Amino acid sequence: CKGPGVCRSGREDMALRCAASLAAGRQPRCPRLPRPAREGTVRWSSAAKASAVKINEKASREKILTLESMNPQVKAVEYAVRGPIGIKKPFTEVIKANIGDAHAMGQRPITFLRQVVALCTYPNLLDSPSFPEDAKKRARRILQGCGGNSLGSYSASQGINCIREDVASYIERRDGGVPADPDNIYLTTGASDGIATILKILVSGGGKSRTGVMIPIPQYPLYSAAISELDAIQVNYYLDEENCWALDVNELRRSLNEAKAYCNPKVLCIINPGNPTGQVQNRKCIEDVIHFAWEEKLFLLADEVYQDNVYSEGCQFHSFKKILYEMGPEYYNNVELASFHSTSKGYMGECGYRGGYMEVINLHPEIKGQLVKLLSVRLCPPVSGQAAMDIVVNPPIPGEESYSQFIKEKESVLNNLAKKAKLTEDMFNKVPGIHCNPLQGAMYAFPRIFIPSKAIEEAKAHKMAPDMFYCMKLLEETGICVVPGSGFGQREGSYHFRMTILPPVEKLKIVLEKVKDFHIKFLEKYA
C-alpha cells in the first residue's frame, strides 16, 4: 500500500474509506494492510496525507438536513427549563436549581416502589426472602399482565390492563367514589407524552380557524413548545400575581374574546398545583373554570402532576374530575376533560422511569379509536415506567407488611418539602427587591425581582431578556442555575426566576443566602 489513491485493491470505495480515515487522523482499516502491533504506528508521508484530504473533500457533498431545510416548527420550539443547549459553564459544581429532578437533588427513592420494579425486572428475586410479600404480590400481578411474563415485552398501546384497572381504582378512592373506567385510562411516557398526544389530536384548521390553545402565564414551557411544534396558536391568559397567582375567569374571558379575532380557541389548559407559580386552586375557582369551559365549549386539559405536593394550611387539592362530577350531569356528561398524573413529582420523584397516565372522559367514540391509533404509532410507553406508575396508584395499605415504612418515607419527603417551601418564601421576602408569594404547592419558588434600568440597558446591549441577564450573572458569580421568568412568560415589565426547593435543607439555606448576597450586590452595581 502506497497511500490513498493508489489502493492496490482496485476498489474505489476502499480508496475513499482509506482517505477519510487518514484525513481524520485515524489508522485505515484495510484488508490488504496488515494491522500493526498494538504499540506500533503506521507512518504516512505528508504527500499521502495531503492526497487523503483532497480525496475526502471530493467525496463530501452538501448536507440534506441543514438549519435552512429542517422543519421550521422544530426550530421554533423553545424549552426554557434546560437552558442553552451545549454551553459548558466554568464551574466544578453547578447547583442545579433549575429543574424538578428530585433524586438528582439527593431525595431518596421510595423503598417499596423500587422493590416492586426490581422484582419485575429480575423475577428470580421473587424467591428471595429479602423482599416483602406485599411487594412480591404486586410484582407477580404486573408480570402476569406482561407478554411472556416479562417486563421486556411490548404492552398494549394503551398500557397494561391490570395497571389501568389500578389507576381507575386510585382515582375512585382519591375522588371519594366518583366512578372511573379503565377504558378511559391511557398509560403514558410521563405526563408530557399524554399532554402532547392530546394536543396533537386537537389541533386542526388553518388561518383564523386554526386551533387556539389557552395556557396560563406563567406556564410550564412544555405547553408553548408543543403548541409551537404543532403550529397551533398560543392564547395567553394571565394569573393574578397580586392575589397569589389566582386564576380569574374574567381574565379567561378577556383572553378568549381577543383570540377569536385570529384563531379558533378550543382548548383550555390548567396546571394545578401550579408550575412555576405553586398556587393551589380552591373549589370555587375550579367550578368557575368548568362552567366557563362548558359555556364556551372548550376542551379542558388538567395538569395535576403535583397533586400530592400541597403544603399551605387551608389549601387542599381538588381534582377537576371530582368537581366536574359533583356539578351535576349537565356538566359531567358534556365537558370533555383530559387529566394527567406522573411518577416524576409528588413524593416519588421518579423522573427517569417516565411513568404517567391520562384519564380522558366524554371523548367522542370515533375519536377514541383515533387516539388509540395515534398511541399505537409509538408502540407503548416504557413498561418499567408503567410498573412504577402502578405502585404510585397501588401503594401498601394498612395491615400490609410494607405499610409502616412506606408511610414513614412518604411523609418524610412531603414534610421536608413543606418545610423548605416556607423557608424559601420567608428568606426571599427578607431580601430588598425580591417578593415571593406563598409556595402553596408543587416544588418551586417563582419570586419577582427588581432589575434596575441600568441593568436592563446592559441586557439589551447583550441582546438578552433582563431576567436572563440576571440569571446568567447569578450563574457566573455563584454557580447557582435558575430559570428566567421570561422562559415561562410574565406580564410586560415584570421579572422573575424559577428555582426548585428540592436541595436538602442545609444546602437550600446556602443557596438562598448566596442569592440574597448576589441580589444585593447586583442592585448596588446597577443602581
Side-chain angles (χ1 to χ4, degrees):
C1 181
K2 297 180 181 179
V6 287
C7 180
R8 288 184 301 190
S9 69
R11 286 173 52 184
E12 185 181 359
D13 64 324
M14 280 191 180
L16 290 174
R17 265 191 291 173
C18 175
S21 295
L22 286 169
R26 296 192 302 270
Q27 164 72 44
R29 291 191 174 185
C30 175
R32 292 181 172 270
L33 179 65
R35 291 197 179 186
R38 188 174 294 274
E39 67 277 6
T41 57
V42 172
R43 300 190 180 276
W44 294 86
S45 69
S46 57
K49 288 183 179 178
S51 178
V53 172
K54 190 175 180 181
I55 291 173
N56 192 47
E57 285 175 350
K58 285 182 180 178
S60 65
R61 64 178 185 179
E62 186 178 341
K63 298 291 185 187
I64 295 167
L65 183 60
T66 66
L67 282 174
E68 289 70 35
S69 67
M70 72 176 286
N71 185 333
Q73 268 67 59
V74 175
K75 196 172 6 176
V77 167
E78 293 184 9
Y79 188 70
V81 173
R82 286 182 176 257
I85 298 170
I87 297 175
K88 293 183 178 179
K89 306 299 179 186
F91 297 103
T92 54
E93 180 196 12
V94 172
I95 301 173
K96 296 178 182 177
N98 61 317
I99 191 165
D101 191 349
H103 292 186
M105 290 285 100
Q107 181 178 309
R108 303 297 301 165
I110 298 296
T111 302
F112 187 77
L113 187 150
R114 289 296 183 90
Q115 286 175 331
V116 176
V117 175
L119 289 163
C120 289
T121 305
Y122 189 58
N124 288 1
L125 294 173
L126 289 165
D127 297 326
S128 170
S130 300
F131 289 80
E133 282 304 316
D134 48 358
K136 291 178 181 179
K137 177 184 175 183
R138 284 165 175 77
R140 289 189 186 99
R141 182 167 181 267
I142 292 168
L143 289 172
Q144 285 168 6
C146 297
N149 291 324
S150 172
L151 218 58
S153 61
Y154 287 126
S155 76
S157 299
Q158 200 168 337
I160 296 171
N161 188 57
C162 68
I163 298 178
R164 291 191 291 116
E165 289 172 353
D166 288 345
V167 170
S169 297
Y170 162 80
I171 291 170
E172 288 185 1
R173 292 194 308 273
R174 182 197 67 187
D175 292 345
V178 175
D181 183 351
D183 199 39
N184 291 334
I185 308 296
Y186 303 81
L187 301 182
T188 57
T189 308
S192 303
D193 171 50
I195 293 165
T197 300
I198 288 292
L199 285 175
K200 189 177 291 186
I201 210 165
L202 277 162
V203 172
S204 64
K208 289 187 177 181
S209 65
R210 189 66 174 168
T211 297
V213 182
M214 299 179 68
I215 63 172
I217 298 296
Q219 53 105 20
Y220 178 51
L222 161 70
Y223 291 93
S224 54
I227 291 165
S228 177
E229 185 179 352
L230 295 168
D231 199 24
I233 307 299
Q234 179 174 319
V235 178
N236 297 339
Y237 66 88
Y238 290 90
L239 302 176
D240 184 0
E241 184 172 10
E242 303 307 317
N243 191 21
C244 203
W245 299 111
L247 196 166
D248 183 0
V249 171
N250 291 326
E251 169 61 14
L252 288 179
R253 199 170 301 283
R254 176 207 63 79
S255 172
L256 179 79
N257 290 337
E258 288 183 7
K260 285 178 178 178
Y262 56 85
C263 70
N264 174 25
K266 64 178 182 182
V267 187
L268 173 57
C269 302
I270 310 290
I271 309 173
N272 180 46
N275 174 13
T277 45
Q279 85 284 4
V280 178
Q281 292 177 8
N282 61 40
R283 182 189 181 91
K284 176 66 166 61
C285 175
I286 294 172
E287 288 176 349
D288 290 345
V289 170
I290 291 171
H291 177 75
F292 176 78
W294 172 82
E295 187 178 46
E296 299 292 344
K297 296 181 180 177
L298 297 171
F299 195 113
L300 265 177
L301 303 188
D303 183 340
E304 299 174 336
V305 300
Y306 296 100
Q307 59 190 258
D308 288 305
N309 302 104
V310 177
Y311 315 123
S312 292
E313 287 186 20
C315 288
Q316 181 183 351
F317 171 75
H318 302 280
S319 78
F320 268 73
K321 163 88 175 294
K322 179 176 187 285
I323 304 303
L324 178 62
Y325 185 83
E326 292 172 350
M327 287 176 71
E330 189 173 10
Y331 293 93
Y332 185 69
N333 293 329
N334 290 291
V335 174
E336 292 155 275
L337 168 69
S339 51
F340 308 89
H341 196 18
S342 166
T343 62
S344 302
K345 308 305 177 185
Y347 58 89
M348 308 78 66
E350 294 283 7
C351 304
Y353 277 119
R354 308 309 300 131
Y357 75 75
M358 61 179 174
E359 182 187 25
V360 190
I361 61 172
N362 291 325
L363 206 59
H364 190 288
E366 291 178 0
I367 294 298
K368 208 167 190 175
Q370 294 295 317
L371 176 57
V372 172
K373 179 185 74 176
L374 185 59
L375 292 171
S376 299
V377 173
R378 56 93 159 112
L379 299 178
C380 69
V383 181
S384 55
Q386 295 185 49
M389 191 73 244
D390 188 70
I391 306 313
V392 175
V393 299
N394 185 25
I397 59 175
E400 287 190 309
E401 183 178 351
S402 301
Y403 177 75
S404 59
Q405 181 182 7
F406 167 78
I407 206 70
K408 180 181 177 182
E409 291 175 352
K410 176 182 175 179
E411 290 179 353
S412 173
V413 170
L414 294 176
N415 290 339
N416 250 320
L417 285 168
K419 180 180 179 181
K420 291 186 283 189
K422 186 63 177 155
L423 171 71
T424 303
E425 175 197 343
D426 290 346
M427 289 192 70
F428 273 147
N429 284 328
K430 291 176 182 176
V431 183
I434 295 183
H435 172 74
C436 185
N437 274 325
L439 280 64
Q440 296 176 337
M443 48 184 63
Y444 313 99
F446 195 68
R448 184 173 69 235
I449 51 176
F450 171 70
I451 299 182
S453 56
K454 187 178 173 184
I456 293 172
E457 290 304 314
E458 188 167 332
K460 287 179 181 176
H462 286 85
K463 297 181 179 178
M464 298 171 76
D467 48 8
M468 171 61 94
F469 176 76
Y470 178 97
C471 292
M472 291 302 291
K473 289 288 186 184
L474 176 66
L475 175 62
E476 290 164 5
E477 295 182 26
T478 68
I480 297 169
C481 184
V482 297
V483 191
S486 51
F488 301 91
Q490 55 199 350
R491 284 195 181 274
E492 186 73 27
S494 69
Y495 306 107
H496 303 78
F497 64 81
R498 190 191 80 164
M499 187 190 89
T500 180
I501 60 169
L502 289 170
V505 172
E506 292 309 313
K507 191 166 191 176
L508 182 62
K509 287 179 181 177
I510 294 169
V511 170
L512 293 168
E513 283 292 341
K514 284 186 174 183
V515 173
K516 171 189 168 186
D517 294 342
F518 165 81
H519 187 77
I520 290 170
K521 290 176 184 175
F522 185 87
L523 293 183
E524 289 172 352
K525 180 178 179 180
Y526 292 102

